[in-house]
Amino acid sequence: QVQLVQSGAEVKKPGASVKVSCKASGYTFTGYYMHWVRQAPGQGLEWMGRINPNSGGTNYAQKFQGRVTMTRDTSISTAYMELSRLRSDDTAVYYCARDGGIKSGWYLEWGQGTLVTVSS
Amino acid sequence: DIQMTQSPSSLSASVGDRVTITCQASQDISNYLNWYQQKPGKAPKLLIYDASNLETGVPSRFSGSGSGTDFTFTISSLQPEDIATYYCQQYDNLPTFGQGTRLEIK
């Protein structure tokens, strides 16, 4: 069965960077885009960007351009999301989510979420 | 970016009621619209994909309709376990979510 297992909770100071991992299993890692979605406390879902694990190509939401970097390591079926210059309003749960394939942009599979707390 | 306007932001209904949530896209997105249910502390769960297709295992009281810019999500007979927040999501272009609808039992 498909599983996405994320790294553990992080506490960071303002201005620092955080890197969250998402290890995939149960399917061909390079066959499906991996997306990152975040949710601030008590707020809605916010799409951050996606990576094509096959090519490494990325697309980012305009809001995060210049601060987010998505990468992958195909040898260990793991995707990464790094967010830099952290601010207090970056405190959120960060999810990875796999889409359904070509022209199938829904998220059936989600990681368990990683809480990132930004506090001085 | 395509903006998704979801309404209402919150809703209170009784068990057995018919519940409707709407989502409007800022431009034509064909049928590239999905609906999710999220319960506190959990990842979202896919209910409806491509506007009207029920995901496997999802109860038939959930349904979706629409195309172009206007979409509707319906629970035909509200059950206590349906208390959650619901989100629409488009993927015609870079994905975006609606603001969410918090559903409560009256």
Side-chain angles (χ1 to χ4, degrees):
Chain A
Q1 74 285 15
V2 174
Q3 274 197 306
L4 302 176
V5 179
Q6 298 183 222
S7 48
E10 303 261 14
V11 179
K12 295 292 183 181
K13 294 194 182 303
S17 297
V18 68
K19 191 171 186 177
V20 179
S21 67
C22 173
K23 182 169 178 59
S25 61
Y27 71 98
T28 302
F29 178 66
T30 52
Y32 300 84
Y33 280 62
M34 192 70 78
H35 300 241
W36 291 88
V37 176
R38 79 176 187 179
Q39 186 170 38
Q43 302 301 308
L45 302 170
E46 184 173 32
W47 184 81
M48 300 180 68
R50 66 188 177 196
I51 184 166
N52 178 341
N54 188 42
S55 66
T58 55
N59 300 99
Y60 302 136
Q62 191 166 5
K63 174 178 179 175
F64 299 102
Q65 290 273 5
R67 277 210 308 144
V68 70
T69 305
M70 296 178 186
T71 57
R72 91 293 189 215
D73 184 338
T74 57
S75 69
I76 55 171
S77 299
T78 299
Y80 302 92
M81 186 284 300
E82 184 170 22
L83 189 62
S84 62
R85 303 194 300 279
L86 289 168
R87 308 184 292 254
S88 58
D89 62 358
D90 291 318
T91 294
V93 175
Y94 290 76
Y95 293 101
C96 59
R98 195 204 79 173
D99 73 16
I102 295 173
K103 269 305 178 186
S104 301
W106 52 83
Y107 310 127
L108 182 57
E109 311 295 346
W110 295 73
Q112 82 274 21
T114 296
L115 175 62
V116 175
T117 303
V118 182
S119 173
S120 53
Chain B
D1 291 3
I2 297 174
Q3 308 302 317
M4 302 303 295
T5 303
Q6 187 175 338
S7 62
S9 56
S10 64
L11 177 56
S12 182
S14 300
V15 172
D17 281 356
R18 182 180 185 87
V19 170
T20 298
I21 299 169
T22 64
C23 207
Q24 184 171 59
S26 58
Q27 65 188 66
D28 190 335
I29 59 169
S30 185
N31 67 331
Y32 299 136
L33 190 285
N34 309 312
W35 292 95
Y36 299 86
Q37 175 193 69
Q38 188 181 32
K39 297 185 177 181
K42 300 292 189 181
K45 175 186 176 182
L46 177 69
L47 300 180
I48 303 284
Y49 63 94
D50 283 351
S52 61
N53 294 290
L54 193 67
E55 173 58 25
T56 302
V58 174
S60 59
R61 64 181 179 273
F62 296 100
S63 65
S65 64
S67 67
T69 61
D70 295 301
F71 301 86
T72 300
F73 171 80
T74 300
I75 306 173
S76 61
S77 178
L78 185 66
Q79 299 302 303
E81 61 266 31
D82 300 336
I83 298 314
T85 301
Y86 293 84
Y87 295 92
C88 62
Q89 173 241 331
Q90 67 80 22
Y91 69 97
D92 180 63
N93 199 341
L94 296 184
T96 48
F97 288 90
Q99 303 95 317
T101 297
R102 179 171 293 186
L103 180 54
E104 300 173 340
I105 292 284
K106 194 181 294 181

